């Protein structure tokens, strides 16, 4: 069997690209030929071997439009090589990958990985919808990351007979005790709430910043990531006098992320839109035994990932007081905190390990 992961871009910037890359590496490490074709957003060599069973096939970017990398090369290249693959595993949403598959003439098995609906780019969706309908119909299997999203998405309604759930899985993060201690030492005596993501509207960080107004001085909130809302969030922090309670950390390299997860007492996901379909950061936190406070986004898999009352608490969207209340409820009671921490780690081990994701993906490829 030879597999092609198709979609998005490289280097990795978000959850969809991470899942693609992890599937490629996980399958190829088991001796299965699995390549990944995507638009190459960086500099340097664009096509290179990842290991003896995997190649990353980077296609040159022509331009970027509405969060989509436009790459005519992807269309022509897939047309040339598609017959080499037994399965094309396409990751949605990515209109460029869909167009490449549409024009490729590929006759083999197609797995459609439905990570998220297109929520924000309404004008793009209006143009793209005929191709999206074709893709949904063309797919032999439609894979969702949670049963909630598969059921709630209006774009795959009526296709439930060919859907299945493949929760995202991550490897355990490496232990970094010295680095974690160094982070904690910067905030002596404080309970640390950590959040991580791009500083964009749907992440709901203004509500997390506002939540600091309802927390006492025992708490600090650390937010890692960069984005267009950084200036407005800094202004919000200054206006509210929260400079000693909320810290925007900026870009955090992957090599340091385990230390922040291990240093914090809790992780908070404050997202407000269905664009946040899963929230990989939640399971990364759970893998470190950290409780999660997340939002109950209608139609999203986020509150399914963070099981309410088990791995943490879910609160209404856009409610700063509720975020603060849930944070306090977990962190103010040592016995309750210990229970949530233990259950968060157990939920990760039961549902969201890397090995489970790879094993179950192989089963999907074998489905008739």
């Amino acid at each position: 069997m030879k597999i092609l992961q198709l979609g998005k871009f490289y280097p990795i910037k978000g959850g969809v690209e991470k899942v693609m890359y992890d599937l490629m590496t996980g399958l190829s490490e088991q001796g299965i030929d699995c390549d990944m074709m995507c638009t190459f957003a960086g500099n340097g060599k664009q096509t290179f071997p990842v290991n003896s069973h995997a190649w990353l096939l980077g296609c040159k970017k022509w331009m970027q439009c509405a969060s989509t990398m436009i790459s005519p090369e992807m269309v022509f290249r897939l047309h040339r090589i598609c017959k080499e693959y037994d399965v094309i595993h396409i990751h949605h949403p990515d209109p460029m990958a869909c167009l490449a598959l549409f024009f490729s003439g590929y006759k083999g098995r197609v797995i459609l990985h439905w990570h998220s609906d297109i929520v924000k780019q309404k004008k793009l969706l209006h143009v793209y919808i005929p191709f999206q309908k074709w893709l949904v119909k063309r797919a032999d299997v439609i894979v969702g990351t949670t049963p909630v999203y598969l059921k709630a998405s209006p774009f795959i309604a009526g296709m439930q007979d060919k859907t299945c759930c493949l929760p995202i899985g991550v490897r355990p993060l490496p232990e970094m005790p010295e680095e974690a201690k160094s982070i904690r030492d910067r905030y002596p005596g404080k309970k640390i709430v950590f959040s991580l993501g791009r500083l964009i509207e749907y992440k709901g960080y203004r509500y997390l910043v506002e939540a600091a107004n309802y927390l006492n001085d025992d708490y600090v909130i650390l937010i890692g990531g960069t984005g267009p809302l950084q200036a407005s969030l800094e202004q919000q922090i200054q206006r509210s006098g929260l400079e000693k309670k909320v810290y925007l950390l900026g870009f955090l390299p992957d090599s340091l992320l385990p230390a922040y997860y291990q240093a914090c007492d809790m992780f908070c996901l404050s997202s407000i839109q269905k664009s946040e379909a899963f929230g990989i950061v939640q399971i990364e936190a759970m893998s470190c035994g950290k409780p999660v406070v997340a939002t109950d986004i209608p139609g999203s898999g986020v509150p399914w990932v963070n099981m309410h009352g088990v791995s943490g608490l879910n609160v209404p969207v856009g409610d700063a007081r509720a975020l603060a209340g849930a944070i306090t409820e977990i962190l103010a009671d040592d016995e309750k905190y210990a229970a949530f921490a233990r259950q968060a780690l157990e939920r990760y081990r039961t549902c969201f390990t890397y090995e489970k994701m790879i094993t179950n993906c192989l089963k999907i490829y074998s489905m008739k």
Side-chain angles (χ1 to χ4, degrees), residues 14-56:
V16 177
E17 305 94 82
K18 177 174 171 52
V19 171
M20 286 178 60
Y21 191 85
D22 284 352
L23 288 175
M24 174 185 65
T25 55
L27 293 164
S28 60
E29 285 167 1
Q30 295 194 20
I32 297 165
D33 292 333
C34 184
D35 300 332
M36 172 174 158
M37 178 181 284
C38 56
T39 305
F40 198 88
N43 298 315
K45 193 173 183 180
Q46 295 176 321
T47 295
F48 53 87
V50 177
N51 57 45
S52 60
H53 289 279
W55 280 77
L56 192 145

Side-chain angles (χ1 to χ4, degrees), residues 28-340:
S28 60
E29 285 167 1
Q30 295 194 20
I32 297 165
D33 292 333
C34 184
D35 300 332
M36 172 174 158
M37 178 181 284
C38 56
T39 305
F40 198 88
N43 298 315
K45 193 173 183 180
Q46 295 176 321
T47 295
F48 53 87
V50 177
N51 57 45
S52 60
H53 289 279
W55 280 77
L56 192 145
L57 310 176
C59 300
K60 291 181 181 178
K61 178 184 76 173
W62 176 46
M63 62 179 290
Q64 183 171 343
C65 177
S67 300
T68 299
M69 299 287 188
I70 308 300
S71 174
E73 181 186 346
M74 180 180 284
V75 175
F76 295 113
R77 193 172 189 180
L78 185 62
H79 178 75
R80 286 199 313 270
I81 68 172
C82 65
K83 292 179 182 179
E84 298 175 13
Y85 296 96
D86 302 295
V87 176
I88 291 182
H89 187 153
I90 183 169
H91 294 260
H92 178 280
D94 184 17
M96 191 67 245
C98 176
L99 288 173
L101 183 63
F102 179 82
F103 289 111
S104 70
Y106 179 68
K107 304 298 183 183
R109 189 166 172 77
V110 172
I111 307 298
L112 170 58
H113 208 130
W114 196 273
H115 292 270
S116 170
D117 297 345
I118 294 175
V119 177
K120 184 179 177 182
Q121 291 88 2
K122 301 294 186 183
K123 291 182 179 179
L124 173 64
L125 180 59
H126 181 72
V127 175
Y128 173 59
I129 197 71
F131 294 98
Q132 181 175 276
K133 288 180 177 178
W134 169 84
L135 181 60
V136 168
K137 186 177 180 180
R138 171 66 179 86
D140 295 282
V141 180
I142 301 173
V143 175
T145 55
T146 67
V148 176
Y149 217 99
L150 282 172
K151 185 177 180 180
S153 173
F155 302 107
I156 52 177
M159 297 289 177
Q160 298 301 315
D161 60 328
K162 63 175 182 180
T163 63
C164 65
C165 183
L166 179 66
I168 297 169
V170 297
R171 290 185 171 101
L173 301 181
E175 294 290 333
M176 301 181 69
E178 293 182 6
E179 293 85 349
K181 181 180 183 302
S182 176
I183 293 167
R184 293 199 65 85
D185 288 346
R186 294 173 210 162
Y187 313 97
K190 302 293 186 180
K191 296 174 181 178
I192 299 174
V193 179
F194 181 48
S195 191
L196 178 69
R198 292 185 63 219
L199 305 184
I200 53 179
E201 183 64 27
Y202 83 76
K203 294 292 185 178
Y205 283 126
R206 62 191 174 107
Y207 299 105
L208 182 54
V209 172
E210 184 184 345
N213 290 299
Y214 309 111
L215 297 172
N216 65 36
D217 291 338
D218 293 337
Y219 297 84
V220 292
I221 296 173
L222 309 182
I223 301 174
T226 61
L229 296 185
Q230 182 161 341
S232 65
L233 291 171
E234 288 172 347
Q235 292 169 7
Q236 181 185 357
I237 291 166
Q238 292 168 3
R239 283 197 308 269
S240 302
L242 297 171
E243 293 93 338
K244 294 185 178 180
K245 197 179 283 187
V246 182
Y247 298 86
L248 301 182
L249 305 176
F251 172 75
L252 296 176
D254 289 346
S255 59
L256 268 182
L257 291 181
Y260 276 92
Y261 281 117
Q262 290 155 25
C264 75
D265 296 288
M266 164 189 289
F267 189 86
C268 185
L269 185 71
S270 55
S271 299
I272 57 175
Q273 295 176 9
K274 196 182 174 186
S275 301
E276 191 75 83
F278 186 92
I280 293 177
V281 286
Q282 297 187 102
I283 60 174
E284 290 177 337
M286 290 179 199
S287 74
C288 297
K290 306 299 178 176
V292 175
V293 167
T295 45
D296 194 3
I297 306 168
S300 168
V302 165
W304 178 86
V305 174
N306 181 40
M307 185 177 287
H308 185 75
V310 177
S311 54
L313 297 173
N314 297 317
V315 302
V317 170
D319 190 331
R321 284 184 181 272
L323 283 172
I327 290 168
T328 303
E329 181 179 342
I330 294 175
L331 292 182
D333 183 326
D334 290 345
E335 187 174 334
K336 181 176 287 189
Y337 175 81
F340 275 118

Side-chain angles (χ1 to χ4, degrees), residues 303-368:
W304 178 86
V305 174
N306 181 40
M307 185 177 287
H308 185 75
V310 177
S311 54
L313 297 173
N314 297 317
V315 302
V317 170
D319 190 331
R321 284 184 181 272
L323 283 172
I327 290 168
T328 303
E329 181 179 342
I330 294 175
L331 292 182
D333 183 326
D334 290 345
E335 187 174 334
K336 181 176 287 189
Y337 175 81
F340 275 118
R342 182 181 66 253
Q343 290 161 182
L345 180 58
E346 181 58 28
R347 181 151 175 77
Y348 160 73
R349 289 173 173 169
T350 302
C351 302
F352 304 118
T353 65
Y354 180 82
E355 292 77 15
K356 276 186 180 295
M357 179 177 70
I358 299 302
T359 299
N360 290 330
C361 186
L362 276 172
K363 291 178 181 177
I364 292 170
Y365 292 157
S366 300
M367 290 170 61
K368 298 289 185 180

